[in-house]
Amino acid sequence: MRVLFVCVGNTCRSQMAEGFARGAGHETASAGTSPGSGVAAKAVEVMAELGIDVSGQSSDLLDLATLNNWDMVISMGCGVEATCPALKADLDWGLDDPFGQGLDSYRKTRDLIQNLVNEL
C-alpha cells in the first residue's frame, strides 16, 4: 500500500510513522503543512531504540497536487486541518505532538504510532 503521513512540521510524528510503515513493507512518505528543518533528534533517538533509522528522512512540504498518487493519506492531527483545510485525509490519528518535550513523550507517541501502523 502507498501511504502518505501528514503533520504540521513533518519533524516527529509523521517521520516516525514513515519509518514504521517502510519497515512494514509499505511504500511511504511523509510531509508537513509547514515543515521544519529536518527530523527531530529525539524522534531519531527513540526510533533507533527499536532499530529503525529515520535519520536520512527529510522534512518536506505537502504537495496537494500529488495526493491522488497515494492509496491512503493519514493526518497525525494537531493543527493539520487549520494549516491546510484543503487536505482531505483518509484517517486522522489525532496524536499529540511531542515536539519540544522529553524522551518519554516521544516514546509514548512512538508506541502509539507503531500500534496504528501495525493496524494498516
Side-chain angles (χ1 to χ4, degrees), residues 5 8 10 13-15 22 25 29-31 45 49-50 54 58 66 80 90 92 103 107-110 113:
F5 297 98
V8 177
N10 191 218
R13 297 165 296 165
S14 55
Q15 296 289 350
R22 184 169 287 109
S30 62
E45 183 175 346
E49 292 173 354
L50 300 181
V54 297
S58 61
T66 65
V80 171
D90 297 297
D92 181 350
L103 286 172
R107 287 183 185 109
K108 178 181 174 185
T109 301
R110 175 201 64 196
I113 291 170

Side-chain angles (χ1 to χ4, degrees), residues 36-64:
S37 60
V39 183
K42 290 178 184 174
V44 171
E45 183 175 346
V46 300
M47 292 297 285
E49 292 173 354
L50 300 181
I52 299 170
D53 183 7
V54 297
S55 64
Q57 295 174 193
S58 61
S59 295
D60 300 312
L61 180 64
L62 175 64
D63 181 356
L64 293 174

